[in-house]
Amino acid sequence: MTERLYYHDSFLYEFDAQVVDVVPSDSRQAIILDCTAFYPTSGGQVFDTGWILSGSNKFRITEVAEKDDGTILHFVENTLQVEKGSRIRGLVDVDRRRDHMQQHSGQHVLSAAFIQLFNMPTVSFHMGAEACSIDLDTKNLTSNQVEQAETLANDIVMQDRRVGIRFVTQEEAQGLGLRKLPPVERDKLRLIDISDFDLTACGGTHVASTGQIGCVLLRKAEKVRQGWRVEFVCGKRAVATARRDYATLVESAGLFSSHIWEVPQQIRKAQEEVRALRKSREQGLEELAEAQAAKLLAETPEAGGRKIVARVFADRDVVFIKLLAQKLTRHSAAAIALLGTSLGQPTLVFAQSTGQPFDMGALMKESLAELGGRGGGSKDMAQGGPVRAEGLDAALQALAAKLRG
Ligand SMILES: [Zn+2]
């Protein structure tokens, strides 16, 4: 079992230790020390990184993990050249550790705030690379409650309360009113005591006083299967997150040439404009298709009691030619529309007035067998995508001639 130096001092960033063993683990090499200040992933907090100095060699520690028996494995980046029994010096990556202390200590404060204000217990804690989150055991959570918890958490930060470490036995722990007891039975419990605010069992690394958390910023709150998940960031992470949010807002406001506070209003206005434009465009297209259908029917001679309109459009999209096909076949009781568009992805639309004898789906399949591509449809309406726009007009004229008989 490795002695955990971080249990007693979270600010110990350099330490000397003896190499107990070097073991292969998951195609990597891991070093086991008699004592360590490196924190292994556990209790929601992620591992420390850093370096190990051995003689004149320096090795990067990329991950630290804990085995069931309490042994701590330090994974190294490349092949390790340290002797079993030799002395090494360990250097913890300070920036990463400080960040983790801010997030994890902030979590204690926040979890306690949710308990004190609304009696909502924290069931799990996740520390991500970007943001952290706690899952609260509650059916409902309002944005007002989120704000209240954030306010209380930041009050506790401002008050710069002492964060102490205590070791007690299971029996001693019973009467202390701990917020959370660890799932595993250990003879000695490590308690984190935020003076007159929160007392909980935890093995992680924490700040020495709440002021070092800097600040607690709550972000997304979302319903999850077993309660509510609240995302948060603390300290320098909160500043970095706020900085990025601000940059995003400034960029958005720049697009509207407005102040950042006016962005939602500007978006609403733009959405309304888009809706209005879309509506007026649809109306315009409807009228255009109507007029074009009338014109095409007027200039198409009747053959065998029906009018066959065959036309490829280079400047109209598939939405329009479908609309046109609809108008043609509804305006005349005996019309066949063989339409195509070469705008964008080439598309064919075949349609006939109800009661006409042909099978548009079958004709589409026949045409595409020649032109290449896929498509099909019903007896009165079919759509297909030929591979090329070239030759579409000739194919439609040939098909029209065939249908005229
Ligand atoms: Zn903790």
Side-chain angles (χ1 to χ4, degrees):
M1 209 169 179
T2 316
E3 189 195 344
R4 295 153 196 255
L5 302 172
Y6 59 83
Y7 262 6
H8 307 279
D9 185 1
S10 295
F11 293 82
L12 180 71
Y13 303 133
E14 285 191 44
F15 65 100
D16 293 305
Q18 189 168 35
V19 178
V20 173
D21 209 352
V22 179
V23 293
S25 180
D26 304 337
S27 76
R28 288 181 294 177
Q29 266 194 309
I31 178 170
I32 298 168
L33 304 169
D34 62 342
C35 62
T36 188
F38 285 104
Y39 185 79
T41 298
S42 52
Q45 184 180 335
V46 286
F47 58 85
D48 283 326
T49 59
W51 301 267
I52 276 182
L53 306 181
S54 166
S56 57
N57 293 321
K58 190 174 182 179
F59 303 98
R60 177 105 182 114
I61 299 293
T62 54
E63 191 188 339
V64 186
E66 184 182 13
K67 291 211 299 186
D68 291 339
D69 66 0
T71 308
I72 294 175
L73 300 171
H74 305 77
F75 293 96
V76 286
E77 193 173 47
N78 29 35
T79 320
L80 199 64
Q81 295 139 2
V82 287
E83 297 280 313
K84 202 168 149 175
S86 67
R87 305 284 303 172
I88 59 96
R89 187 160 184 78
L91 306 175
V92 175
D93 185 323
V94 178
D95 286 344
R96 183 176 163 96
R97 162 64 73 79
R98 278 194 183 136
D99 169 60
H100 291 178
M101 288 198 292
Q102 286 188 320
Q103 311 313 313
H104 191 154
S105 307
Q107 180 259 313
H108 281 235
V109 174
L110 189 59
S111 290
F114 274 112
I115 282 276
Q116 294 204 359
L117 292 171
F118 315 113
N119 201 24
M120 293 176 186
T122 295
V123 288
S124 69
F125 163 49
H126 171 74
M127 188 189 284
E130 300 254 320
C132 308
S133 64
I134 50 172
D135 284 2
L136 296 170
D137 182 9
T138 177
K139 282 200 171 69
N140 300 299
L141 182 68
T142 65
S143 53
N144 184 267
Q145 287 175 319
V146 167
E147 262 182 63
Q148 283 185 58
E150 184 183 64
T151 301
L152 176 55
N154 282 296
D155 285 345
I156 298 300
V157 169
M158 298 296 167
Q159 289 156 10
D160 198 21
R161 290 173 188 240
R162 190 175 168 274
V163 179
I165 304 167
R166 276 204 271 158
F167 290 87
V168 297
T169 62
Q170 290 277 356
E171 291 81 54
E172 286 169 328
Q174 296 305 322
L176 291 174
L178 297 189
R179 176 162 58 78
K180 199 177 122 200
L181 276 165
V184 280
E185 284 266 321
R186 288 203 179 118
D187 23 319
K188 273 274 179 183
L189 286 181
R190 182 174 182 261
L191 304 185
I192 302 303
D193 186 355
I194 300 176
S195 184
D196 293 327
F197 184 66
D198 184 47
L199 184 64
T200 193
C202 183
T205 56
H206 308 86
V207 294
S209 65
T210 56
Q212 292 172 342
I213 295 168
C215 62
V216 182
L217 176 66
L218 268 58
R219 290 167 59 77
K220 195 168 62 182
E222 59 176 343
K223 182 104 188 63
V224 288
R225 214 160 13 133
Q226 282 149 350
W228 279 79
R229 179 163 299 163
V230 178
E231 204 180 275
F232 68 96
V233 276
C234 299
K236 280 175 90 173
R237 257 196 216 204
V239 175
T241 306
R243 166 63 43 202
R244 212 175 41 200
D245 290 354
Y246 182 71
T248 306
L249 263 179
V250 166
E251 191 184 338
S252 310
L255 294 172
F256 292 112
S257 304
S258 74
H259 190 277
I260 56 167
W261 296 333
E262 287 160 9
V263 167
Q265 192 195 332
Q266 292 286 349
I267 291 175
R268 249 175 253 128
K269 207 173 109 192
Q271 283 176 333
E272 270 164 34
E273 276 171 16
V274 166
R275 263 193 295 273
L277 281 172
R278 197 176 288 151
K279 207 174 161 193
S280 101
R281 183 176 179 271
E282 275 165 16
Q283 217 163 16
L285 281 177
E286 188 89 21
E287 283 167 20
L288 186 67
E290 190 86 39
Q292 193 136 28
K295 182 169 170 276
L296 283 168
L297 285 173
E299 65 192 27
T300 304
E302 248 188 43
R306 61 180 69 93
K307 291 189 171 188
I308 301 176
V309 176
R311 176 80 67 102
V312 175
F313 294 85
D315 56 352
R316 293 288 166 201
D317 64 6
V318 59
V319 176
F320 182 79
I321 65 166
K322 274 164 86 171
L323 196 59
L324 182 59
Q326 223 176 61
K327 301 281 178 201
L328 284 167
T329 53
R330 280 185 197 164
H331 270 266
S332 160
I336 315 287
L338 306 173
L339 308 179
T341 169
S342 57
L343 185 68
Q345 182 72 35
T347 310
L348 290 175
V349 172
F350 295 173
Q352 69 180 0
S353 308
T354 313
Q356 288 299 302
F358 306 111
D359 182 338
M360 296 297 121
L363 289 177
M364 182 60 74
K365 282 205 167 11
E366 273 171 43
S367 298
L368 291 172
E370 279 173 45
L371 294 163
R374 293 161 62 95
S378 64
K379 182 175 177 291
D380 287 345
M381 182 83 174
Q383 187 177 329
V387 287
R388 273 183 302 277
E390 288 81 44
L392 281 193
D393 196 47
L396 293 191
Q397 297 311 329
L399 179 57
K402 197 176 112 187
L403 296 187
R404 277 184 207 109

